[in-house]
Amino acid sequence: MSDATAIVDRSEVPAGGSYRFTAEDAFGNETEVILVPCEDDPGVRAWVNNCTHEDQRLDAGRGAAIRDGEIICPRHGSMFDACSGECDNGEASGTTLPSVDIAVEDGSVLLIDEHYEYRHDGGVNDGDDGPGSTSHISF
Ligand code: FES
C-alpha cells in the first residue's frame, strides 16, 4: 500500500537548516521528524529529530545547525551526515539517525513511510499554536 502524504514544498526546506514536522508512529506516539537538505537525489532526507546519544532534539524549534552537509547536535556537538544519518565523531560516534521514508514529487516532499502518519508541521507541542490559528487540532 502506498499512502503518501504531502508534507511541504521542497523549496521550504532551508539550505542551511531543517524543516520540522510531527508524525505518529505505529504505537500512537507522536514523533518529531526533520527534513534536511542533502546533495544526493532527491535533495532532501528525513530523520527522527533526536540525537542518538541522549534525549536531545537536533532541531529545537529554530532549525537544526547544518554545516558542510552535517547536522550538528546542539548538546555535545556530534555531527551526523545529512545524507546518510551516520555519525563518526564525538559522543554519538558509531551511530546512525533513524530514517523516515520520504519521496519528492512535483516539488512536494511526501511522507511514504508505512510506520508513520503525518500529524502536523512543527514540533509535537506546536499543533495548536500556529501563527494563522487555522489548526483544526484540539486537545
Ligand atoms: S546529546 Fe547529541 S552528542 Fe550528546
Side-chain angles (χ1 to χ4, degrees):
M1 194 174 82
S2 82
D3 258 355
T5 309
I7 304 166
V8 69
D9 274 2
R10 166 70 188 85
S11 59
E12 299 281 321
V13 180
S18 57
Y19 178 90
R20 190 170 65 146
F21 69 95
T22 298
E24 189 177 302
D25 69 16
F27 305 102
N29 302 311
E30 291 199 324
T31 303
E32 289 184 11
V33 181
I34 52 172
L35 300 176
V36 298
C38 160
E39 284 180 358
D40 302 337
D41 236 23
V44 61
R45 291 286 191 275
W47 308 108
V48 170
N49 184 27
N50 224 84
C51 184
T52 52
H53 176 225
E54 287 178 1
D55 188 16
Q56 169 67 50
R57 286 176 165 98
L58 299 167
D59 176 349
R62 296 171 180 226
I66 298 190
R67 199 170 50 218
D68 297 332
E70 306 214 76
I71 308 163
I72 305 167
C73 173
R75 187 171 297 185
H76 303 117
S78 280
M79 295 182 290
F80 297 85
D81 187 291
C83 293
S84 70
E86 292 170 2
C87 176
D88 64 1
N89 58 85
E91 303 281 1
S93 184
T95 65
T96 303
L97 295 172
S99 65
V100 176
D101 292 342
I102 52 161
V104 176
E105 228 173 83
D106 297 332
S108 274
V109 182
L110 308 175
L111 177 63
I112 59 169
D113 196 311
E114 61 182 18
H115 303 294
Y116 292 100
E117 208 169 294
Y118 180 81
R119 300 297 290 170
H120 54 79
D121 65 353
V124 165
N125 298 318
D126 293 352
D128 58 353
D129 63 0
S133 298
T134 54
S135 173
H136 299 291
I137 299 168
S138 57
F139 294 97

